[in-house]
């Protein structure tokens, strides 16, 4: 019980495997999530070729197919981020599957949608990794950041792009208030780069102990600059300071993949193992 007799909310979990609204089919990979300023949760439902939208209490609101403008197909969506412009979002997806041993680049698309699912425009991009395609928004510089393999591609609103080569594969990506790029390498490390590709710092060691990482995926920041990481194979979501010092484990979740911070400091986490979404109330995120 909180002061004054108010009951503090518990975490909420919803989803599971299926084709009906509110269910997901992602087969263990590419389970992206973003939260808008008006507390709507956008989740990529990859193998159903759609994005689903939920309220901050887990109520299903609507969905839209991830149609590609100018194409007679819907793409498999992997990752989602909110645009700088209110009412819009960006989705990164792939047009088709390839065998994992293929050396051919996959046909990828970065598509802008309205929040109700109307496709606006697209940028085409070659995707090289098999499962790890991630997208984020650089709010400071109004650029869309795409992470794939060991490459970061930054798109301007007009479609022009620049690339940064990293030293590692990319599991998750986010941009901070200064426009720097933070990413997980999918193995054991979190790294921070400038937009020109200069590495600022890195932290993380492989292991199961507090502060150690095993296959980190999604990454996000809270309003204080704390770095929050989906520590996937350790089955927990961990918080670090802006300089990489371990703060604590926020929650234990089987196979966390995507993480997103809501405007009221709730944390939303997707699980690649259970194909569910969990909303962590702010008193558990920031006790």
């Amino acid at each position: 019980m909180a002061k004054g007799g108010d009951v503090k909310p518990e975490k909420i979990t919803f989803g599971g495997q299926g084709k009906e609204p509110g269910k997901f089919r992602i087969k263990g990979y590419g389970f992206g999530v973003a939260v808008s300023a008006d507390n709507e949760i956008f989740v990529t439902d990859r193998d159903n070729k759609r994005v689903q939208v939920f309220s901050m209490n887990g109520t299903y609101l609507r969905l839209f197919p991830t149609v590609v403008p100018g194409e007679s197909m819907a793409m498999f969506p992997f990752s989602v981020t909110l645009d700088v412009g209110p009412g819009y979002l960006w989705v990164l997806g792939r047009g088709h599957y390839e065998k994992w041993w293929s050396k051919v680049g996959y046909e990828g698309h970065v598509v802008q949608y309205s929040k109700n699912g109307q496709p606006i425009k697209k940028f085409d991009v070659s995707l090289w990794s098999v499962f790890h395609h991630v997208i984020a928004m650089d709010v400071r510089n109004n650029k869309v950041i795409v992470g794939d393999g060991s490459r970061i591609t930054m798109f301007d609103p007009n479609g022009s792009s620049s690339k940064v080569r990293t030293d590692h594969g990319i599991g998750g990506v986010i941009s901070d208030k200064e426009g720097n790029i933070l990413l997980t390498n999918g193995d054991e490390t979190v790294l921070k780069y400038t937009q020109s590709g200069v590495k600022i710092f890195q932290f993380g060691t492989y292991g199961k102990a507090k502060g150690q990482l095993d296959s980190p995926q999604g990454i996000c920041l809270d309003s204080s600059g704390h770095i929050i990481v989906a520590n996937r194979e350790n089955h927990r979501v961990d918080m670090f300071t802006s300089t990489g010092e371990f703060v604590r484990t926020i929650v234990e979740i089987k196979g966390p993949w995507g993480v997103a911070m809501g405007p009221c400091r709730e944390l939303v986490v997707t699980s690649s193992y259970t194909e569910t979404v969990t909303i962590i109330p702010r008193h558990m995120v920031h006790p």
Side-chain angles (χ1 to χ4, degrees):
M1 299 289 286
K3 291 182 179 180
D6 294 330
V7 177
K8 290 185 177 181
E10 300 294 326
K11 64 183 181 182
I12 299 168
T13 298
F14 58 91
Q17 189 179 73
K19 295 182 179 181
E20 61 269 32
K23 301 291 185 179
F24 306 98
R25 293 172 62 238
I26 53 94
K27 295 183 180 177
Y29 295 94
F31 203 4
V33 62
V35 182
S36 67
D38 57 353
N39 277 314
E40 289 190 333
I41 301 169
F42 295 81
V43 185
T44 57
D45 185 4
R46 193 189 66 191
D47 291 351
N48 286 323
K49 296 184 180 180
R50 63 194 185 190
V51 169
Q52 298 199 62
V53 189
F54 302 86
S55 71
M56 194 52 79
N57 63 12
T59 301
Y60 167 79
L61 299 177
R62 62 187 183 276
L63 62 79
F64 60 86
T66 44
V67 174
V68 180
E71 304 280 347
S72 59
M73 47 82 81
M75 67 180 180
F76 296 94
F78 279 74
S79 187
V80 58
T81 190
L82 273 300
D83 195 3
V84 172
Y88 297 94
L89 62 147
W90 294 92
V91 178
L92 172 64
R94 205 162 69 193
H96 57 86
Y97 285 130
E98 295 280 356
K99 298 294 185 181
W100 68 268
W101 57 84
S102 173
K103 300 299 183 183
V104 178
Y106 308 130
E107 182 183 71
H109 307 286
V110 179
V111 183
Q112 184 187 47
Y113 298 93
S114 71
K115 288 175 60 180
N116 290 320
Q118 180 67 33
I120 308 298
K121 61 182 177 180
K122 72 177 175 80
F123 308 138
D124 295 327
V125 59
S126 294
L127 302 175
W128 294 95
S129 67
V130 179
F131 296 119
H132 305 280
H133 313 305
V134 291
I135 192 170
M137 193 74 203
D138 175 2
V139 175
R140 180 185 178 95
N141 298 297
N142 192 20
K143 291 185 177 181
V144 180
I145 303 170
V146 173
D148 170 64
S150 59
R151 302 175 307 168
I152 293 289
T153 305
M154 290 166 287
F155 289 92
D156 291 319
N158 63 7
S160 61
S161 64
S162 58
K163 290 181 173 61
V164 171
R165 177 72 63 175
T166 72
D167 297 330
H168 306 274
I170 298 166
V173 67
I174 196 72
S175 179
D176 66 14
K177 293 179 180 178
E178 288 73 43
N180 298 311
I181 300 166
L182 291 94
L183 60 90
T184 61
N185 72 351
D187 292 322
E188 61 191 41
T189 310
V190 176
L191 303 100
K192 186 174 184 178
Y193 289 85
T194 66
Q195 288 219 352
S196 60
V198 177
K199 186 165 67 176
I200 300 173
F201 74 88
Q202 70 178 60
F203 67 89
T205 58
Y206 174 80
K208 302 295 183 183
K210 291 182 178 180
Q212 292 186 311
L213 301 171
D214 185 356
S215 301
Q217 295 299 323
I219 183 172
C220 69
L221 304 174
D222 70 7
S223 58
S224 300
H226 291 111
I227 302 168
I228 297 171
V229 178
N231 199 346
R232 182 166 63 109
E233 290 304 315
N234 281 331
H235 305 295
R236 63 190 188 226
V237 177
D238 291 332
M239 177 184 286
F240 300 85
T241 67
S242 60
T243 56
E245 298 174 1
F246 176 70
V247 177
R248 62 188 181 84
T249 293
I250 296 174
V251 67
E252 293 183 357
I253 289 180
K254 191 172 183 180
W257 188 279
V259 288
M261 184 66 64
C264 299
R265 305 178 80 188
E266 300 94 341
L267 181 67
V268 183
V269 184
T270 62
S271 168
S272 60
Y273 280 37
T274 61
E275 295 177 290
T276 57
V277 180
T278 299
I279 302 167
I280 314 298
R282 59 188 175 189
H283 72 87
M284 294 178 63
V285 181
H286 302 93

